[in-house]
Amino acid sequence: MRIQDAKVFVCSPGRNFVTLKISTDEGVYGLGDCTLNGRELAVASYLTDHVIPCIVGRDPFQTEDVWQYLYRGAYWRKGPVTMSAIAAVDMALWDIKGKALNTPLYNLLGGKSRTGVMVYGHANGRDLEETSDQVAKYIDEGYLAVRAQSGVPGLPSTYGVSKDKTFYEPAEKGLPPENSWSSEKYLNHVPKLFKALRTRFGDDVHLLHDAHHRLTPIQAARLGKEIEPYHLFWLEDAVTAELQEGFRIIRQHTTTPLAVGEIFDTVWDARLLISEQLIDYLRMTVVRGGGITPLRKVAAFADLYHVQTGCHGATDLSPVTMGAALHFDISVGNFGIQEYMRHTPETDEVFPHAYWFKDGYLHPGDKPGLGVDFDEKLAAKFPYERAYLPVNRKLDGTMWNW
Ligand code: CS2
Ligand code: MG
């Protein structure tokens, strides 16, 4: 079997997605996701103009060698554009392998290690009451774990609070919207949110929260300490993690579990965080982390240090990534949890998939390969339109992390 052709599709069913389709000379094709929110065309060009010419004619079963070729051979390594492009090729080749061997991908990754993949949903609201009611909705739908994000009194907007409660889409068409931020107002508010949620829902439901890169280590230490009585499943992205050793400060002050890594694209972004046990969950997922091939290796390294997986699963990762992640999740030994931000009906129509949700768990399904398809004709009805993630400024106008 040989790779005969590869094509990149940029479409916008509900939101922008970038999809790679690799076709072989035996009629089997594979899909890969390389959506990079706000920088989609950069990845599309990296694949079309630089990668695809190098993979046509290769043996699609050689997932390891093709990955090494695209990583080492690029010379200019790492970074979200490069690694998302490599991830799409890797996903597509694993998809082809599963289809050619007529088996669901998880069987090629060690088989099922659990009966299902526990997921968390996204409850959000403008204030405590609305957020609490949204948590109740997710619990009623059978979720065992719910992330809670609420508006912050005194701030016109904040991360994670969406107009449409079910589908959270932060990217907006036109130029980047400007959000405003106050860590002080946020830090005074969040403990009240989780006190209210534990009072209403008790101890069993897993509660999660995403600080979205906005605190300093000592602020994160304060927040972690103040929410300890509400024993969150995790506090995510408390601090931007370029300075990995900065997490030592947080760790010294709190037992609240820490999750980091949705923006990581190689193991080097997390090496110290893992080896010094500064985090409890690694958020890196298939599309950002270079594919299934490297993610398995990072998970094995993390397992040595009691770090579990917690793959990113926002709407800006297509159902192809969700499908790939679920095959990884159901097999990997040190599985923690999978994020499940539902896609819109348009997205699900363009990306029909075998995975399904029941009683708080997702299941990858048993179709050969990833179990996700791509309707090219329908996709063409949803043309790409440039959209940006917001930028964020402190109340005095200082640029800050969104
Ligand atoms: C968030 C994402 O899901 C999460 O944990 O951090 O919604 C993130 O903001 C988006 O993926 C950015 O495109
Ligand atoms: Mg996040």
Side-chain angles (χ1 to χ4, degrees), residues 206-225:
H206 294 304
L207 294 175
L208 302 89
H209 183 68
D210 191 346
H212 219 263
H213 321 278
R214 299 184 180 195
L215 301 177
T216 62
I218 203 64
Q219 289 173 337
R222 168 188 156 187
L223 179 58
K225 219 152 76 171

Side-chain angles (χ1 to χ4, degrees), residues 132-211:
S132 180
D133 289 344
Q134 286 294 309
V135 171
K137 182 175 84 79
Y138 278 91
I139 293 171
D140 291 346
E141 287 175 13
Y143 284 79
L144 305 173
V146 186
R147 186 187 86 166
Q149 306 288 139
S150 94
V152 175
L155 290 182
S157 64
T158 189
Y159 163 73
V161 180
S162 64
K163 299 173 199 78
D164 173 325
K165 291 289 154 272
T166 311
F167 308 108
Y168 175 57
E169 177 46 68
E172 293 187 26
K173 298 194 175 21
L175 291 177
E178 297 229 344
N179 288 182
S180 52
W181 177 252
S182 158
S183 293
E184 296 71 20
K185 294 183 188 302
Y186 168 80
L187 286 166
N188 291 332
H189 175 68
V190 172
K192 294 173 190 152
L193 169 64
F194 286 98
K195 181 175 182 191
L197 294 177
R198 279 295 177 221
T199 305
R200 177 171 175 185
F201 300 108
D203 290 336
D204 291 345
V205 62
H206 294 304
L207 294 175
L208 302 89
H209 183 68
D210 191 346

Side-chain angles (χ1 to χ4, degrees), residues 308-322:
Q308 294 177 294
T309 67
C311 285
H312 187 207
T315 43
D316 46 285
L317 286 59
S318 93
V320 178
T321 283
M322 182 54 80

